[in-house]
Amino acid sequence: MPGYSTEDIHNLALVGQGGAGKTLLVEALLHQAGAIKTPGTIERGNTVCDFDPEEKEHQHSLASAVASFDYQKRLINLIDTPGYPDFLGQAYAALEAVETAAIVIDAQSGIDTVTHRMMERAGEEHLCRLIIVNKIDAENIDLTRLLAQIRELFGSECLPINLPANGGQSVVDCFFNPNGDSDILSVTDAHTEIVDQVVEVDEELMALYLEHGEVSPEQLHEPFEEALRNGHLIPICFTSARSGAGIPELLEVIVKLMPNPHEGNPHVFLRETDGQQDEFVAEHNPDKHVLAHVFKVTTDPFIGKMGIFRIHQGTVRSDSQLYIGDARKPFKAGHLYRLMGKETVEIDHALPGEICAVAKVDEIHFDAVLHDSQEDGGVCLRPMLFPQPMHGLAIETGHHVDDQKISRALAMLSAEDPSFQVEHSPATNETVVRGLGELHLRIVLEKMKNRYNVEVATRPPRIAYRETIRATAEGHHRHKKQTGGAGQFGEVHLRVEPLARGEGFVFIDEVVGGAIPGQFIPAVEKGVRQAMEQGFLAGYPLHDIKVAVCDGKHHSVDSKEVAFVAAGKKAFQEAVEKAKPVLLEPVVKIDITVPEAAMGDVSGDLPGRRGRISSTDSLMGGLLSIKGEVPMAEISDYQTFLKSATGGQGTYSVEFSHYEEVPANIQKTIISEHQAANKH
């Protein structure tokens, strides 16, 4: 590829609903630009961006992929992102690397919740936005109605920059050369409307326009970019990736009208100084020190870990010494790559605005800032909020499975995906993987098998119940053991009291007169803590308890630490039995987004799950937000229910709220199950 300046670069992320044709749109653009000879197809599994075995098998994008190519001496970086809700973390991450979010809408299926979410997120990230209506040559579509819906839902600033013609077999330009007839609107009216919108951001140009009645596209360029930056204009393009209709025109829009890194809104960095985080923006200056952000990490059996990053400042060279975050030891970039799906093209340097990759750097990780100055060790990109992974599976391993191998596979997969988490729950003593949905975790398990030759059994994770007490009580135990030699003796009197939720554990020594020597008090606490971890009712840890050691006895010869550990444990258990023990369960805040038509089913379901609805609010586009609280134990199958009730259009998120008492009938069942399990 030829050399480029930052002004020659255009970075776009193709985002939006699954099945809208983003991957095929990339193929069509690559073919039109001459980067590939023949467009690939989903059915043949030979597209540039869907190259993973799992993507070919499922025929859906499951991760973001970068395709870099040259067109009219411009470097265009397209990031193809998945559109299914289970993989939106990858789409969100891609927004960190671009100036423009291209929201692709399926002309057949229309606007769905993912489209809403990506439009909103791109706006929140202050990105320029471009709407691409794909599949304009499909049967049984109403593009006039769809255009009206787009403007109703996303605002009057959404204006067509070209329009479909000849039954969707071509498009006509409404901006550069507004001549011809379209299928749905007057080309002249569309041109006038977009010019009217653009000149509103430039008073001098508006005066000129009002005086002469027309301005040239060249005069409109800077105000056009300004309108894109502040969200005053969201252009709409029409295409058919399969037939190629509108693809040449879309390329022209990208290189002539979409912002280069200098023209887009800058990404905000944070620098920590004296405990304070100050915001600043990087300068797209190739001569300044390097600041780059890793927005994607992949692992490959042949080239190892690869970090894909966007350069925001400075020049990265193949011999650059770069630091990762706060690391004090630099790494040498070595081989620097541009990406075309899974293929790599080695380059010797990259400028601000470029997207490139380095390989075989084990320390590199998602969201890392790469820099060449130790003074920038405290710099990070402004944090991005990702969907909270709440769908969980507990992993069960057999004795024949290498736990170290499983841990390595999980670590590699979690490094690639910001919405996949691995956690070990001390409360339930199990390893739990969490993702955004059932499909998300199913794909993770497939990757474990295909890439790392690891298979595991899974089951629903145990709920992290807790135990506590509701009353004050006392306990006593004397531990005495004589076996012919030195004996064991320790006697403990203690008192337990309930604490407020969340206060944890308090241990107090109230012993007077040396009844228990001071060196044995920690042993008593150790015994109490052991009993708290083991639980009393159903094997769950005890919380929110105050324990006071009141009295006891010791023996000058036979008293030992082990004796007071045992005495403390037994005395505590006796006290808890008298203190009205009870089970607690985690309760989460739930925020559900559904189409209005599904409100009755969804709001009627929550009370059956022991949930409480706190509010119901209308959102843009015929959607509703239902907020409330529900016990965690009642939503293990909630995604399946919501998918069925809303036809796949519903989404939800949960956040831990508090613990509260388990109803008596459910508590009885949990205790009985625990006792039955312990008999075996």
Side-chain angles (χ1 to χ4, degrees):
M1 289 185 179
Y4 302 98
S5 67
T6 299
E7 289 80 2
D8 299 326
I9 299 169
H10 299 277
N11 300 311
L12 297 88
L14 272 62
V15 300
Q17 64 216 72
K22 298 183 294 295
T23 301
L24 292 182
L25 199 58
V26 173
E27 293 293 307
L29 290 167
L30 292 174
H31 176 62
Q32 179 66 32
I36 57 175
K37 292 182 179 179
T38 306
T41 68
I42 302 298
E43 295 76 15
R44 291 199 302 266
N46 62 344
T47 62
V48 169
C49 292
D50 283 1
F51 53 82
D52 275 345
E54 295 80 18
E55 291 178 315
K56 294 180 181 181
E57 179 182 346
H58 291 274
Q59 298 192 350
H60 294 301
S61 298
L62 305 174
S64 61
V66 180
S68 300
F69 63 98
D70 176 84
Y71 182 70
Q72 294 184 1
K73 298 182 180 181
R74 306 291 183 91
L75 175 61
I76 300 176
N77 294 306
L78 299 179
I79 306 180
D80 179 27
T81 69
Y84 283 82
D86 285 27
F87 305 99
L88 280 187
Q90 295 267 348
Y92 286 176
L95 298 181
E96 296 283 18
V98 301
E99 283 73 45
T100 302
I103 296 91
V104 183
I105 296 176
D106 187 334
Q108 287 181 297
S109 59
I111 301 166
D112 74 350
T113 54
V114 170
T115 307
H116 281 277
R117 292 169 73 177
M118 294 312 302
M119 278 289 290
E120 291 175 3
R121 176 54 67 95
E124 291 166 0
E125 294 298 315
H126 305 292
L127 296 177
C128 302
R129 287 172 287 179
L130 168 69
I131 293 175
I132 302 173
V133 178
N134 193 27
K135 304 182 184 179
I136 60 171
D137 55 349
E139 296 181 356
N140 301 319
I141 59 174
D142 187 343
L143 294 176
T144 302
R145 181 171 177 271
L146 177 59
L147 180 59
Q149 286 180 333
I150 291 172
R151 301 196 65 189
E152 178 187 352
L153 297 179
F154 303 129
S156 59
E157 61 270 23
C158 300
L159 294 171
I161 205 163
N162 56 45
L163 289 166
N166 302 316
Q169 298 304 309
S170 63
V171 301
V172 290
D173 180 22
C174 302
F175 185 74
F176 299 104
N177 185 27
N179 293 312
D181 298 317
S182 88
D183 294 339
I184 59 175
L185 291 177
S186 161
V187 173
T188 301
D189 290 348
H191 174 76
T192 300
E193 194 168 7
I194 202 166
V195 172
D196 287 348
Q197 189 78 1
V198 170
V199 298
E200 286 181 359
V201 303
D202 187 321
E203 291 185 3
E204 291 185 8
L205 188 63
M206 180 183 286
L208 185 67
Y209 176 57
L210 292 174
E211 181 180 351
H212 297 285
E214 187 58 270
V215 288
S216 69
E218 291 74 24
Q219 291 173 300
L220 286 169
H221 182 82
E222 288 190 15
F224 192 100
E225 301 301 331
E226 175 64 25
L228 288 176
R229 280 194 295 272
N230 61 31
H232 190 67
L233 173 65
I234 302 174
I236 303 172
C237 292
F238 292 84
T239 65
S240 169
R242 287 196 179 274
S243 72
I247 297 301
E249 291 81 1
L250 177 58
L251 268 177
E252 291 298 311
V253 168
I254 290 173
V255 298
K256 292 182 178 179
L257 295 177
M258 291 300 102
N260 62 46
H262 286 303
E263 294 169 329
N265 287 318
H267 295 264
V268 178
F269 283 82
L270 300 175
R271 176 180 280 114
E272 186 168 334
T273 307
D274 299 327
Q276 298 286 330
Q277 285 193 324
D278 299 318
E279 292 188 353
F280 73 98
V281 295
E283 298 179 36
H284 291 104
N285 185 335
D287 299 321
K288 300 204 70 160
H289 57 89
V290 171
L291 283 176
H293 176 252
V294 180
F295 67 93
K296 182 175 175 62
V297 171
T298 66
T299 52
D300 185 277
F302 302 104
I303 62 174
K305 183 183 281 189
M306 175 181 282
I308 305 171
F309 56 92
R310 154 71 186 266
I311 302 172
H312 292 271
Q313 180 175 287
T315 300
V316 177
R317 305 182 187 278
S318 57
D319 60 352
S320 293
Q321 298 284 326
L322 300 175
Y323 297 90
I324 302 173
D326 292 330
R328 296 300 175 189
K329 184 179 179 181
F331 72 91
K332 185 178 179 180
H335 300 284
L336 194 63
Y337 302 104
R338 286 200 186 107
L339 300 175
M340 176 68 87
K342 69 176 179 180
E343 304 298 329
T344 57
V345 178
E346 191 164 353
I347 56 177
D348 58 9
H349 73 281
L351 299 175
E354 291 202 53
I355 294 173
C356 47
V358 292
K360 298 181 180 179
V361 182
D362 290 338
E363 297 81 10
I364 207 162
H365 59 88
F366 172 76
D367 206 29
V369 169
L370 308 181
H371 56 94
D372 58 1
S373 169
Q374 288 190 329
E375 295 180 1
D376 288 324
V379 170
C380 63
L381 206 62
R382 186 171 59 187
M384 174 177 270
L385 297 176
F386 288 94
Q388 184 68 19
M390 294 305 304
H391 191 82
L393 288 174
I395 289 180
E396 295 181 329
T397 61
H399 295 297
H400 63 286
V401 178
D402 186 344
D403 286 344
Q404 192 170 9
K405 192 175 181 181
I406 292 173
S407 297
R408 180 178 178 275
L410 290 174
M412 292 290 190
L413 291 168
S414 62
E416 295 182 10
D417 190 341
S419 294
F420 173 65
Q421 294 179 359
V422 183
E423 60 188 44
H424 181 77
S425 172
T428 60
N429 192 31
E430 60 188 3
T431 298
V432 178
V433 294
R434 296 195 181 277
L436 299 183
E438 179 185 356
L439 177 61
H440 189 184
L441 293 186
R442 179 150 47 91
I443 296 300
V444 167
L445 296 176
E446 287 182 18
K447 288 182 178 180
M448 288 181 67
K449 179 180 177 181
N450 297 339
R451 291 190 194 175
Y452 305 104
N453 196 28
V454 173
E455 290 190 72
V456 294
T458 61
R459 57 173 173 77
R462 297 173 64 196
I463 301 299
Y465 291 104
R466 291 180 176 179
E467 300 180 16
T468 192
I469 58 175
R470 293 179 292 178
T472 299
E474 295 183 352
H476 159 256
H477 185 76
R478 173 184 288 186
H479 178 81
K480 184 176 182 181
K481 189 175 182 182
Q482 196 73 38
T483 57
Q488 297 180 10
F489 180 85
E491 186 173 344
V492 172
H493 292 263
L494 54 75
R495 182 181 68 255
V496 297
E497 303 174 18
L499 294 175
R501 295 280 186 272
E503 291 194 12
F505 171 61
V506 176
F507 183 85
I508 298 176
D509 175 12
E510 294 183 355
V511 176
V512 295
I516 300 177
Q519 69 265 30
F520 293 128
I521 295 297
V524 177
E525 181 178 355
K526 182 178 179 181
V528 169
R529 288 186 178 274
Q530 287 180 358
M532 290 183 68
E533 282 300 313
Q534 292 175 2
F536 181 79
L537 292 172
Y540 295 99
L542 284 144
H543 287 259
D544 305 329
I545 296 178
K546 176 181 178 182
V547 177
V549 183
C550 312
D551 201 359
K553 292 182 181 179
H554 74 286
H555 189 277
S556 58
V557 176
D558 290 344
S559 285
K560 298 178 177 64
E561 179 180 330
V562 65
F564 280 99
V565 169
K569 183 175 181 178
K570 293 290 186 180
F572 176 78
Q573 289 171 336
E574 180 183 292
V576 168
E577 186 175 13
K578 303 173 185 176
K580 299 181 180 178
V582 66
L583 270 179
L584 302 175
E585 65 180 345
V587 175
V588 296
K589 298 176 183 177
I590 188 166
D591 187 348
I592 313 163
T593 302
V594 297
E596 290 180 352
M599 177 186 175
D601 290 340
V602 174
S603 60
D605 173 75
L606 274 180
R609 298 176 184 268
R610 298 189 285 125
R612 300 180 291 270
I613 296 175
S614 58
S615 66
T616 303
D617 300 304
S618 296
L619 302 177
M620 186 173 60
L623 298 175
L624 290 174
S625 170
I626 302 172
K627 293 183 173 67
E629 293 181 346
V630 63
M632 177 68 83
E634 299 290 342
I635 59 171
S636 59
D637 65 340
Y638 197 69
Q639 187 180 53
T640 303
F641 159 76
L642 193 62
K643 185 176 182 180
S644 174
T646 65
Q649 296 295 300
T651 60
Y652 78 101
S653 63
V654 298
E655 176 186 352
F656 173 75
S657 177
H658 63 280
Y659 273 86
E660 63 182 39
E661 288 187 23
V662 177
N665 61 322
I666 298 177
Q667 176 174 294
K668 184 177 179 180
T669 300
I670 295 171
I671 295 171
S672 297
E673 290 174 351
H674 172 71
Q675 292 172 344
N678 284 347
K679 288 180 180 179
H680 301 291

